[in-house]
């Protein structure tokens, strides 16, 4: 919570003070990040309020760079005397750190501007105006719809509505200053159905947005969660085989996450990516174009400047199957002789590192049903489990559930199978991309089909 000593002081002013104090203590270069927030969480389960949490926070992260020696510290004690001591201690730590010739702040010519924040639609005053009663009502509507959707829904894990109203401010010693407010709202529901053999079949669905107007209808979120649970009743294992695999949009998003983790300058200089040496070469099928765009209005990953104050921009990772390049922050760019792509992410206690913002697999022209129509036998994936992905080699193996496809139609639900392959081969074997682009947080993808993967069952 904000202390009395900092009450009413804007986040940008706190960041300025930290930089001034660090410079006064002898810092060569420094930057300060302040993050403030008020969060609420409401969970309704079986018609009753099970959880109601409201909390506020403010924190400051300070990075000091002394002749290539870097120290990063964080604090929530922002009283004047405490902040002065904190800045001095951070400078002392930097003086004894190991030197790194690539450490440093961005060039001023790369700085972005917070003036662009308003156009990005990152703040919705309607979220701030929601009362506790209204939040409970939204969660209640969602869970009630899930329970009423089908008589086979016997239980739920509740419906949870979460909101956040906050501000981000960044100041550095080379003259950058920027701040912007941001809001978020999310709703998630999990419904449970009982199978004939006594197994519980859970199904969940969610919506997460920057603004209340974009949040999915609460009742529809509940109904979809219920349907996904009921659809898994009677699920069984197919025999082990090699067949086409179709990923629904939410599962296709998970493939984007694997690729993005490999397409960073950090992964490249550490030798921890299968994408090394592939820039400018075919990687995926011509159906595949993937962009990282922090300038999309109202989206979770949007931001006017990155974690170092660099202007953000749209970056194309894959264009019509060709791998166009990696995402860089200033450090990884210097280390590899490249230029920053404005892709630095930052936490209070961690330094900048390259990361994706809004990651989008561009939709195709086909209806989702067209991807099933010519499949004689195949798997339609609606759930993935485990973390079986090796970024250095691209090897992929994950537990899955969904539906078996026969003669172009959904035949029966499938559970406890494993799908395996190599991400590079999987991307190259995408032979269909649908037109049903759907957003899940900061990522979006349509339904896609991979020509063949190994499906391990019984």
């Amino acid at each position: 919570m904000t202390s009395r000593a900092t009450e009413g002081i804007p986040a940008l002013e706190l960041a300025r003070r930290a930089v001034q104090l660090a410079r006064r203590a002898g810092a060569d270069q420094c930057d300060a990040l302040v993050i403030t927030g008020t969060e609420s969480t409401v969970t309704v389960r079986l018609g009753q309020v099970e959880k109601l949490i409201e909390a506020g926070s403010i924190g400051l992260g300070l990075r000091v760079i002394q002749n290539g020696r870097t120290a990063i510290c964080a604090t929530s004690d922002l009283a004047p005397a405490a902040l002065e001591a904190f800045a001095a201690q951070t400078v002392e730590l930097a003086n004894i750190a190991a030197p790194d010739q690539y450490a440093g702040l961005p060039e001023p010519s790369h700085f972005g501007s917070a003036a662009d924040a308003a156009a990005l639609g990152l703040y919705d005053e309607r979220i701030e105006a929601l009362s506790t009663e209204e939040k409970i009502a939204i969660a209640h509507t969602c869970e009630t719809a899930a329970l009423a959707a089908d008589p086979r829904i016997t239980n739920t894990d509740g419906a949870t509505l979460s909101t956040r109203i906050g501000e981000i401010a960044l100041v550095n010693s080379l003259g950058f200053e920027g701040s912007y407010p941001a809001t978020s709202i999310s709703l998630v529901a999990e419904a449970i159905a009982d199978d004939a053999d006594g197994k519980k079949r859970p199904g969940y669905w969610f919506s997460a947005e920057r603004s209340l107007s974009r949040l999915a209808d609460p009742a529809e979120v509940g109904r979809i969660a219920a349907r996904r649970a009921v659809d898994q009743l009677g699920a069984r294992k197919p025999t082990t085989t090699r067949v086409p695999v179709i990923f629904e949009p939410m599962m296709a998003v998970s493939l984007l996450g694997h690729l993005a983790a490999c397409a960073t300058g950090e992964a490249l200089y550490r030798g921890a990516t299968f994408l090394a040496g592939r820039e400018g070469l075919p990687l995926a099928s011509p159906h595949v174009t993937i962009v990282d765009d922090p300038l999309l209005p109202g989206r979770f990953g949007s931001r006017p400047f990155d974690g170092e104050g660099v202007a953000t921009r749209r970056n194309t990772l894959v264009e019509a199957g060709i791998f166009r390049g990696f995402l860089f922050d200033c450090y990884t760019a210097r280390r590899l002789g490249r230029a920053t792509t404005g892709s630095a992410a930052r936490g209070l206690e961690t330094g900048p590192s390259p990361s994706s913002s809004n990651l989008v697999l561009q939709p195709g022209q086909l209806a989702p049903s067209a991807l099933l129509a010519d499949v004689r036998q195949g798997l339609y994936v609606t759930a993935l489990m485990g973390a079986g992905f090796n970024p250095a080699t691209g090897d992929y193996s994950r537990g899955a559930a969904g539906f078996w496809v026969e003669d172009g139609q959904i035949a029966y639900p499938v559970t406890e199978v494993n799908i395996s392959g190599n991400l590079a081969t999987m991307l190259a074997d995408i032979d269909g991309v649908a037109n049903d682009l759907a957003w899940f947080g900061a990522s979006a993808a349509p339904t896609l089909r991979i020509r063949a993967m190994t499906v391990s069952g019984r």
Side-chain angles (χ1 to χ4, degrees):
M1 298 292 292
T2 304
S3 69
R4 285 191 176 274
T6 60
E7 189 174 349
I9 300 176
L12 189 62
E13 178 59 29
L14 287 171
R16 282 195 198 106
R17 288 187 185 182
V19 168
Q20 292 167 356
L21 290 169
R23 291 284 286 163
R24 192 181 303 165
D28 178 22
Q29 292 186 348
C30 58
D31 61 8
L33 174 69
V34 174
I35 299 176
T36 71
T38 301
E39 302 175 354
S40 74
T41 300
V42 174
T43 298
V44 172
R45 182 172 181 272
L46 301 180
Q48 302 297 315
V49 177
E50 186 175 77
K51 183 189 299 183
L52 179 58
I53 299 173
E54 293 193 7
S57 64
I58 182 168
L60 182 146
L62 178 64
R63 176 173 61 150
V64 171
I65 305 169
Q66 298 281 79
N67 298 316
R69 303 174 187 270
T70 302
I72 300 169
C73 297
T75 183
S76 58
D77 186 353
L78 303 175
L83 188 59
E84 184 173 5
F86 166 77
Q89 290 165 3
T90 306
V91 173
E92 289 177 8
L93 289 173
N95 286 327
I96 60 173
D100 188 331
Q101 62 179 312
Y102 305 108
L105 297 177
E107 295 295 326
S109 60
H110 293 155
F111 290 167
S113 171
D116 301 325
L120 290 178
L122 306 181
Y123 171 79
D124 180 13
E125 62 184 12
R126 292 178 62 195
I127 292 176
E128 189 166 8
L130 279 174
S131 67
T132 300
E133 291 73 20
E134 288 173 314
K135 296 172 186 177
I136 293 172
I138 292 172
H140 187 272
T141 297
C142 180
E143 197 212 20
T144 299
L147 287 167
D150 193 289
R152 290 169 290 183
I153 298 297
T154 59
N155 203 347
T156 80
D157 200 32
T160 298
L161 182 79
S162 299
T163 65
R164 189 177 194 280
I165 303 100
E167 184 178 7
I168 295 171
L170 180 67
V171 173
N172 73 28
S173 58
L174 295 183
F176 175 82
E177 293 190 354
S179 68
Y180 57 91
T183 55
S184 65
I185 184 166
S186 64
L187 177 64
V188 59
E190 183 168 355
I192 300 170
D194 288 332
D195 217 334
D197 58 3
K199 286 186 178 179
K200 304 293 183 182
R201 300 292 185 188
Y204 85 97
W205 198 247
F206 76 98
S207 176
E209 298 288 352
R210 287 280 190 192
S211 62
L212 182 61
S213 63
R214 276 185 164 172
L215 190 74
D217 176 66
E220 184 64 10
V221 172
R223 286 190 290 266
I224 293 174
R227 188 188 71 223
R228 291 172 73 88
V230 170
D231 282 349
Q232 284 297 300
L233 293 175
R236 59 187 192 267
K237 292 183 182 181
T239 57
T240 298
T241 185
R242 186 169 175 81
V243 293
V245 175
I246 300 156
F247 288 75
E248 71 167 9
M250 187 163 62
M251 299 302 105
V253 158
S254 74
L255 297 181
L256 293 185
H258 290 316
L259 180 67
C262 297
T264 69
E266 184 171 13
L268 182 60
Y269 89 73
R270 292 184 183 278
T273 173
F274 75 98
L275 296 174
R278 292 178 180 260
E279 288 172 280
L281 300 176
L283 171 68
S285 84
H287 298 287
V288 176
T289 293
I290 300 170
V291 298
D292 181 66
D293 193 347
L295 301 176
L296 295 175
R299 293 301 176 189
F300 252 84
S302 298
R303 55 202 182 202
F305 52 83
D306 74 356
E308 296 179 288
V310 173
T312 52
R313 72 184 201 199
R314 184 179 190 268
N315 294 293
T316 299
L317 300 184
V318 180
E319 183 178 20
I322 306 300
F323 178 53
R324 291 304 182 192
F326 295 84
L327 301 174
F328 295 98
D329 65 343
C330 290
Y331 178 84
T332 58
R334 291 190 190 105
R335 187 164 186 133
L336 294 165
R338 307 293 188 92
T340 176
T341 57
S343 303
R346 175 89 172 270
L348 294 178
E349 299 178 357
T350 58
S353 62
S355 179
S356 60
S357 57
N358 295 307
L359 200 59
V360 185
L361 171 60
Q362 299 291 348
Q365 302 298 319
L366 299 172
S369 58
L371 299 185
L372 279 72
D374 58 352
V375 173
R376 190 179 68 83
Q377 282 196 324
L379 176 65
Y380 182 86
V381 178
T382 62
L384 289 166
M385 290 77 75
F389 175 66
N390 186 329
T393 64
D395 290 338
Y396 180 97
S397 180
R398 297 190 66 183
F403 300 94
W404 195 249
V405 178
E406 292 182 353
D407 298 324
Q409 301 292 325
I410 297 294
Y412 57 86
V414 167
T415 189
E416 297 179 8
V417 299
N418 193 80
I419 56 174
S420 57
N422 181 277
L423 188 55
T425 303
M426 291 161 63
L427 292 169
D429 283 349
I430 292 175
D431 61 1
V433 177
N435 58 9
D436 57 337
L437 184 76
W439 280 89
F440 301 92
S443 298
T447 302
L448 62 83
R449 185 178 68 191
I450 295 174
R451 186 176 293 109
M453 292 182 69
T454 300
V455 178
S456 302
R458 51 185 170 83

